Amino acid sequence: QDHINSHELPLKLAAMILADPESNEVVVWRDSGNEAGWVQACAELALDRKIDGLVTGPVSKARFKKLKSRWMGHTGLLAEMARTSVQQGYIGKKLAVVLATDHMPLKDVEKKLGPKLISRTIENAKILKSLLPAKISRRPLAILGLNPHAGENGLIGTFEKKLRLPRYVRGPLSADTAFTAKTVSEYSVVIA
């Protein structure tokens, strides 16, 4: 595999790699002295428009760091490669979720969640919503509160009181009740 340039990685090989991500998670190709894992090789295929998309699963942060990576996982790597911000989105049978932040200590999250990031996350949630079946996509977006119980009207934090949301976004919702069967049936995408 050392002779394979990741820009020319055959799609068949990419499919073989993805067939067993646990054993291939840290497979490394050497290309002009640079190390690139399978995520990077497949992302290059997507950026070169040789594949339509990239689906990743969870990776061990410790294994990612063993590669001497400056990223904590896929998201940072993909953002750097695409030269744009990247957010994680998940689609389930009844609901989708978009994450506003990625791999940071909890104490830093509130500082990171400014109006620009929240707006970008809402826009990405709208894109994800458009991919859902019509029955689900007709439902509104929702956003979780940052603090327990969405701040309890300022008793457990004031972030939620300062949050300015478009009319089509419901919330902030309390995380402990946002994923009940009743609540899940009311929304299309939850921003977390």
Side-chain angles (χ1 to χ4, degrees):
Q1 290 177 351
D2 286 340
H3 68 281
I4 296 174
N5 181 319
S6 61
H7 293 286
E8 300 168 358
L9 185 68
L11 297 182
K12 190 172 184 179
L13 181 57
M16 287 173 22
I17 292 165
L18 294 175
D20 187 5
E22 181 64 30
S23 66
N24 291 297
E25 184 176 63
V26 294
V27 170
V28 174
W29 287 269
R30 300 217 182 272
D31 177 14
S32 306
N34 296 323
E35 292 186 345
W38 66 266
V39 175
Q40 187 172 359
C42 293
E44 287 171 356
L45 288 171
L47 290 169
D48 290 342
R49 300 192 186 282
K50 293 179 180 173
I51 59 174
D52 292 330
L54 173 63
V55 177
T56 65
V59 294
S60 160
K61 305 306 175 240
R63 290 174 95 188
F64 223 81
K65 281 299 186 189
K66 277 185 184 177
L67 289 173
K68 305 285 189 264
S69 172
R70 63 183 163 275
W71 312 283
M72 287 294 286
H74 302 120
T75 312
L77 169 64
L78 295 173
E80 183 175 299
M81 290 179 69
R83 294 187 179 105
T84 189
S85 64
V86 173
Q87 290 179 298
Q88 296 178 50
Y90 302 93
I91 297 177
K93 289 180 181 176
K94 299 178 182 178
L95 181 74
V97 176
V98 173
L99 302 182
T101 59
D102 177 52
H103 305 115
M104 67 176 46
L106 194 53
K107 66 181 179 57
D108 298 335
V109 173
E110 187 169 347
K111 289 181 268 182
K112 179 80 172 177
L113 287 173
K116 197 174 191 178
L117 176 59
I118 291 172
S119 292
R120 184 174 69 233
T121 307
I122 290 170
E123 290 305 309
N124 285 333
K126 286 169 42 181
I127 292 168
L128 188 61
K129 177 180 175 166
S130 73
L131 302 173
L132 300 174
K135 178 182 173 186
I136 297 172
S137 68
R138 285 192 283 272
R139 301 175 191 158
L141 301 173
I143 190 167
L144 295 182
L146 176 62
N147 295 299
H149 308 286
E152 283 287 351
N153 292 317
L155 294 173
I156 311 176
T158 60
F159 177 82
E160 292 77 8
K161 286 182 153 282
K162 296 181 252 176
L163 197 56
R164 300 291 171 246
L165 300 170
R167 287 187 181 141
Y168 58 86
V169 178
R170 306 293 190 269
L173 305 178
S174 176
D176 63 348
T177 58
F179 299 102
T180 63
K182 179 186 181 303
T183 308
V184 163
S185 68
E186 294 177 12
Y187 304 107
S188 57
V189 180
V190 172
I191 297 165

